[in-house]
Amino acid sequence: MAQPELSFTRRRFLKGSFIGVGFGVGIVASSTLCVRHFWSSGSKRPLLGLERLSQSEARTLLALFLTILGPSFQGDIKSLILFVDGFTKNLPNKSFWELRGAFFLMEHLVPLLQGHISRFSELGEIKQIEVLHSLENGQPLLRPLFKGLKELCYFAYYVSPASWSAIGYAGPQVTQNVAPVPDPYVRLIAPRVS
Amino acid sequence: MIYTSDHFTKNETLKCDVCIVGSGAGGAYAAHALSSRGKSVILVESGSFHTLRDFSQREEAMFPKLFYEAGNRRTSDRKIRVLHGKGVGGSTLHNVNLCKRIPEELFALWNLKGLSFAQLEAHYQEVETLLGVKKIAENQVNRANTLFRAGTQKLGYKGAILSHNRTGCVGSGFCELGCSYDGKNNALKVLIPKIVGSGKGRVLADAKVTIFEMQGRRVVKARVSIRDPRLPPDSPPKCEITIEANAFVSCAGGIETPLLLQRSRIPDPFGLIGSKLFLHPGTAALGFFEEKVESWMGVPQSWECTEFLGFGARDANRVWLIGGSAHPAGAASILPGFGSAHRELMHQYPHIVPISPMVHDQSCGRVSQDGEHRVKIDYELNAKDQAQLGLGLFESAKILFAAGARQVLIPFVSPILVSSVDELMMHRERLNHCLGETDIVSVHPMGSVWMGNSPESSCLDVTGRYHHLDNLFVADMSVYPTSIGVPPQISTYAMGKLVGENVARMV
Ligand SMILES: Cc1cc2nc3c(=O)[nH]c(=O)nc-3n(C[C@H](O)[C@H](O)[C@H](O)COP(=O)(O)OP(=O)(O)OC[C@H]3O[C@@H](n4cnc5c(N)ncnc54)[C@H](O)[C@@H]3O)c2cc1C
Ligand code: SF4
């Protein structure tokens, strides 16, 4: 009886870790709004404006952001969650379901495997860190799950201009939607006949 | 002219002499070779057509536009990331422009009857002239590559300044996100305008060839689905175009070409298509310097170290060392750990110099389709290749220390952070087991539909024709019989030329 369950789980683990460097829809980053106090990691408050992720998934993501970005993070978590929610719109359905699978495993199964009865988002900060550490360093089968979720969080964070000054990165050198030199390519597009 | 999804509203049939699938190095050159010889060509590209203003220098915007699966395609065990580009211009839109020929020594090992190295050299010469390939000028060698060079020379290792195809490059350092300054002499800049200007070439963007249809020993049609790139990937195609042609050339790249041939169920009596895939995988050692290096600024990858790169049967080592650079999200994904430890490393971002060892791999994988949007890449990096990467990591670290790095980080899951070569020696054996321990990336998947002398042991003859069909050709980085151990763009342009000229003689 247990065997099919195990193989299903393994497959979902491996596939569920397909996330990471992801799709972008525009992120409006604001460093002024700090929602850390507004949504504590255990909060059941509804998350506004989500189009694809469920509230439970958003809670997992919130907990992941807070743990992975670390205690000194002071930015706008709401916009990071909305960024992730937005980019899932560009994922093929299959990949989106795999991402959901990854959140599910992280929220429910991984803590259980490490002897915690609570969901990941409801563990205290220290336990969340411990869980992630053992996921990162433990069972090779589970490492891709950690790696994928970590990449997702850092991707959302480091594509945001709000993160750049702290790391000495000046950002793009061009103005959005403006070619810095004459564009020889536009004229190659065939005229459209109505 | 160039047609995008906006131009197509209903199913229709188009006719031409030659239909070419994929507009990267191989496809664009084949299309140029054919259209300049008066053959009518339709060049079909599943990615979009981008003009200069589209290259926004933002990772979150450009990865989905320029890379399959937004740059997150991986081997089945998820241990190796496999990057493959899309868009009119293919992977030449985002590549780093360095040009390195296949060494004669390696070519000789392939023993291809009917294709001599002298013939290939003649193709190289013409291609390099057209693409303006030249050595990077001293004043364009950025600080990171200057340090890499200093370290290499201090150790007395073999190295050289590389040749690139760039004109008008302002050294912004954003090459891997596409060039807003039109500084790359790539397929988009050099070849597409010639194809369109010949009056013989049409380019279809947002157009994916789903299958070839056959009659007897000939391909007669390509079915093309047109998708609106603004809609989610699972949206139904807008319409279907059928292309009828006398010959078909697949230039969809080392991953997509075998998939297209498999989907089309073309005859493959020996089960060879996609059965041999080389990844030329690479990883990175990171040096921390006192000074601000800002390795993401300036022309990337202008210096190479070839001390450990051999191609002959008697060469002990097969690893090439090349500088690396990454924009913030890319850098964050390589660095180990999370929380405060990761944040501290990111604060060192301007001080980091990466060197990337890439192995001329003997490991060999397999590529097949997994559902409509995904690909299955089975590839196990064998112990010998891992040991070569281990050697590469060790030697990269030595070079970084010789160049003045105060510390070197090998970004393993359990990171190796050392302050001297002696200290690194204590971890030497661990470096030989990097698979699953650190980010391994393939930017040169190749060899999956290869040339050879017999239909039993290869897919293509030396003209690029598929052995079992009369009018199907391949001209992309699939065609190499082994890994080529160096970046493949210039060789693939040359293959596009060679195959394009062969097809022109036939139709
Ligand atoms: C990050 C990065 C950096 C690189 N830097 C260098 C470098 O500095 N030097 C170097 O020599 N090489 C470099 N390369 C590799 C180089 O770009 C490739 O070797 C070269 O472009 C291969 O040419 P190709 O014709 O085989 O394929 P590509 O250039 O990849 O073109 C294939 C095209 O086919 C299209 N296609 C695929 N399937 C279909 C389909 N079914 N229907 C229609 N179209 C389809 C794709 O969208 C793509 O545009 C780099 C690669 C990467 C990823
Ligand atoms: S470094 Fe040169 S080629 Fe690369 S993006 Fe900048 S201007 Fe373009």
Side-chain angles (χ1 to χ4, degrees):
Chain A
M1 290 290 282
Q3 198 49 41
E5 191 57 41
L6 181 68
S7 62
F8 168 78
T9 308
R10 280 185 177 199
R11 206 182 46 143
R12 296 300 299 180
F13 259 126
L14 288 173
K15 294 204 160 181
S17 64
F18 162 71
I19 50 174
V21 177
F23 295 63
V25 292
I27 172 173
V28 183
S30 144
S31 54
T32 49
L33 177 65
C34 174
V35 290
R36 186 176 268 271
H37 306 294
F38 179 63
W39 287 325
S40 67
S41 59
S43 168
K44 294 271 195 316
R45 290 187 81 135
L47 301 177
L48 301 174
L50 292 172
E51 289 185 45
R52 298 265 285 174
L53 296 176
S54 70
Q55 295 189 16
S56 144
E57 286 157 352
R59 270 198 298 276
T60 312
L61 190 54
L62 172 66
L64 280 166
F65 270 127
L66 291 173
T67 323
I68 286 176
L69 297 178
S72 57
F73 171 71
Q74 288 297 314
D76 174 9
I77 290 214
K78 184 180 173 189
S79 73
L80 298 183
I81 293 174
L82 289 176
F83 172 87
V84 173
D85 186 53
F87 97 60
T88 64
K89 280 192 237 162
N90 292 325
L91 288 177
N93 279 333
K94 196 173 165 212
S95 306
F96 177 54
W97 281 97
E98 288 168 3
L99 174 63
R100 303 191 96 162
F103 284 140
F104 180 84
L105 292 173
M106 191 63 231
E107 180 72 352
H108 301 284
L109 198 67
V110 171
L112 206 61
L113 287 174
Q114 296 183 21
H116 302 289
I117 297 165
S118 300
R119 304 156 152 230
F120 179 73
S121 62
E122 289 174 359
L123 291 170
E125 206 171 305
I126 292 174
K127 286 204 173 120
Q128 284 171 339
I129 293 173
E130 280 169 15
V131 166
L132 286 188
H133 268 305
S134 37
L135 191 60
E136 181 184 26
N137 295 292
Q139 244 284 357
L141 199 61
L142 298 181
R143 283 185 193 168
L145 174 67
F146 168 79
K147 176 89 173 118
L149 291 169
K150 170 185 152 177
E151 280 184 9
L152 177 72
C153 292
Y154 281 132
F155 184 76
Y157 181 59
Y158 281 110
V159 297
S160 154
S163 67
W164 293 341
S165 67
I167 58 169
Y169 176 65
Q173 297 163 18
V174 291
T175 313
Q176 301 305 293
N177 286 320
V178 180
V181 295
D183 192 325
Y185 301 110
V186 181
R187 69 184 165 79
L188 301 178
I189 302 174
R192 278 173 69 184
V193 261
S194 51
Chain B
M1 301 303 286
I2 296 178
Y3 300 82
T4 70
S5 67
D6 292 339
H7 292 88
F8 296 100
T9 48
K10 58 178 191 329
N11 295 354
E12 54 186 300
T13 298
L14 304 173
K15 294 186 180 179
C16 60
D17 292 327
V18 184
C19 169
I20 297 178
V21 186
S23 63
Y29 218 110
H32 166 56
L34 282 151
S35 57
S36 63
R37 285 168 176 75
K39 309 294 175 192
S40 64
V41 168
I42 298 180
L43 183 56
V44 190
E45 169 54 52
S46 65
S48 295
F49 176 58
H50 305 294
T51 61
L52 295 185
R53 51 178 264 175
D54 296 319
F55 299 114
S56 63
Q57 305 184 338
R58 298 283 300 250
E59 291 169 281
E60 79 282 17
M62 298 319 298
F63 283 142
K65 282 185 185 162
L66 297 183
F67 293 95
Y68 280 90
E69 297 179 35
N72 203 42
R73 186 172 262 186
R74 285 175 185 273
T75 50
S76 317
D77 62 8
R78 318 225 63 89
K79 289 177 179 163
I80 303 181
R81 189 192 299 271
V82 182
L83 290 176
H84 186 208
K86 60 179 182 176
V88 173
S91 300
T92 75
L93 288 176
H94 67 253
N95 78 15
V96 182
N97 296 79
L98 74 85
C99 296
K100 221 172 142 53
R101 293 179 178 188
I102 295 169
E104 186 167 6
E105 228 180 334
L106 177 65
F107 185 85
L109 291 177
W110 295 345
N111 188 27
L112 294 174
K113 302 208 165 62
L115 180 62
S116 69
F117 193 69
Q119 282 169 305
L120 185 60
E121 268 190 320
H123 289 293
Y124 273 130
Q125 253 153 33
E126 241 183 86
V127 168
E128 286 166 355
T129 305
L130 187 65
L131 298 180
V133 177
K134 57 181 185 303
K135 220 177 201 181
I136 291 292
E138 278 294 333
N139 63 2
Q140 280 195 311
V141 179
N142 72 359
R143 187 66 190 139
N145 280 280
T146 301
L147 289 166
F148 178 23
R149 170 158 72 169
T152 310
Q153 289 174 339
K154 198 160 168 195
L155 295 174
Y157 288 168
K158 253 190 291 176
I161 294 205
L162 283 155
S163 293
H164 284 215
N165 53 326
R166 332 173 157 248
T167 310
C169 163
V170 301
S172 72
F174 283 97
C175 295
E176 95 279 12
L177 301 180
C179 182
S180 339
Y181 306 92
D182 212 19
K184 298 180 168 199
N185 297 342
N186 58 12
L188 174 66
K189 177 173 164 183
V190 179
L191 300 170
I192 299 293
K194 286 195 189 312
I195 296 161
V196 171
S198 71
K200 288 290 187 179
R202 280 173 284 178
V203 180
L204 273 47
D206 310 317
K208 176 177 176 174
V209 175
T210 50
I211 53 162
F212 290 133
E213 283 184 12
M214 280 158 300
Q215 261 174 23
R217 280 182 59 91
R218 295 181 71 79
V219 176
V220 287
K221 287 176 187 162
R223 298 270 184 208
V224 181
S225 64
I226 305 290
R227 282 179 198 273
D228 183 340
R230 290 158 295 219
L231 297 178
D234 289 319
S235 313
K238 207 173 162 188
C239 56
E240 190 185 76
I241 305 293
T242 302
I243 299 177
E244 295 176 357
N246 294 328
F248 294 79
V249 189
S250 183
C251 306
I255 302 293
E256 299 294 330
T257 278
L259 294 181
L260 171 58
L261 303 193
Q262 287 169 1
R263 280 199 303 272
S264 307
R265 298 183 192 286
I266 69 161
D268 183 14
F270 304 100
L272 299 181
I273 295 169
S275 67
K276 193 158 74 92
L277 173 74
F278 299 95
L279 290 181
H280 196 214
T283 184
L286 312 173
F288 290 80
F289 287 76
E290 283 307 334
E291 65 175 295
K292 266 193 183 173
V293 182
E294 298 183 324
S295 53
W296 66 88
M297 296 286 287
V299 173
Q301 301 194 333
S302 53
W303 176 262
E304 64 173 345
C305 170
T306 50
E307 180 71 20
F308 307 96
L309 181 61
F311 295 93
R314 272 173 288 132
D315 285 311
N317 295 318
R318 311 174 259 117
V319 70
W320 182 60
L321 307 184
I322 181 77
S325 63
H327 287 94
S333 79
I334 298 167
L335 292 173
F338 62 93
S340 330
H342 188 278
R343 178 171 291 252
E344 272 167 36
L345 289 172
M346 277 307 281
H347 283 170
Q348 296 293 312
Y349 176 49
H351 300 268
I352 297 177
V353 175
I355 297 182
S356 177
M358 284 190 194
V359 60
H360 171 38
D361 49 338
Q362 295 174 342
S363 312
C364 170
R366 173 178 287 272
V367 55
S368 53
Q369 188 85 33
D370 179 19
E372 199 196 339
H373 292 285
R374 298 277 292 278
V375 38
K376 191 166 181 284
I377 302 171
D378 296 312
Y379 178 96
E380 181 82 35
L381 190 67
N382 70 27
K384 281 187 182 164
D385 285 348
Q386 283 194 63
Q388 284 296 306
L389 282 181
L391 171 75
L393 285 170
F394 184 67
E395 293 298 339
S396 300
K398 275 171 74 177
I399 291 171
L400 288 163
F401 281 123
R406 57 179 155 77
Q407 284 184 309
V408 170
L409 174 69
I410 310 293
F412 277 16
V413 173
S414 176
I416 302 175
L417 182 64
V418 291
S419 305
S420 68
V421 176
D422 286 346
E423 213 183 317
L424 185 59
M425 267 315 282
M426 298 196 291
H427 304 274
R428 180 65 191 84
E429 178 51 27
R430 261 185 80 198
L431 302 182
N432 291 344
H433 308 279
C434 54
L435 190 63
E437 286 296 326
T438 189
D439 261 25
I440 299 184
V441 180
S442 161
V443 291
H444 307 140
M446 60 180 123
S448 47
V449 186
W450 64 101
M451 282 181 176
N453 300 323
S454 97
E456 285 87 31
S457 58
S458 64
C459 303
L460 313 170
D461 66 22
V462 292
T463 68
R465 189 182 61 85
Y466 185 66
H467 282 306
H468 306 284
L469 292 174
D470 294 336
N471 67 341
L472 175 64
F473 293 78
V474 176
D476 59 25
M477 57 181 160
S478 323
V479 305
Y480 308 115
T482 63
S483 156
I484 64 171
V486 295
Q489 72 152 349
I490 202 66
S491 306
T492 309
Y493 281 116
M495 284 295 167
K497 177 175 180 296
L498 179 152
V499 176
E501 289 173 5
N502 288 331
V503 178
R505 279 190 281 275
M506 197 199 92
V507 291

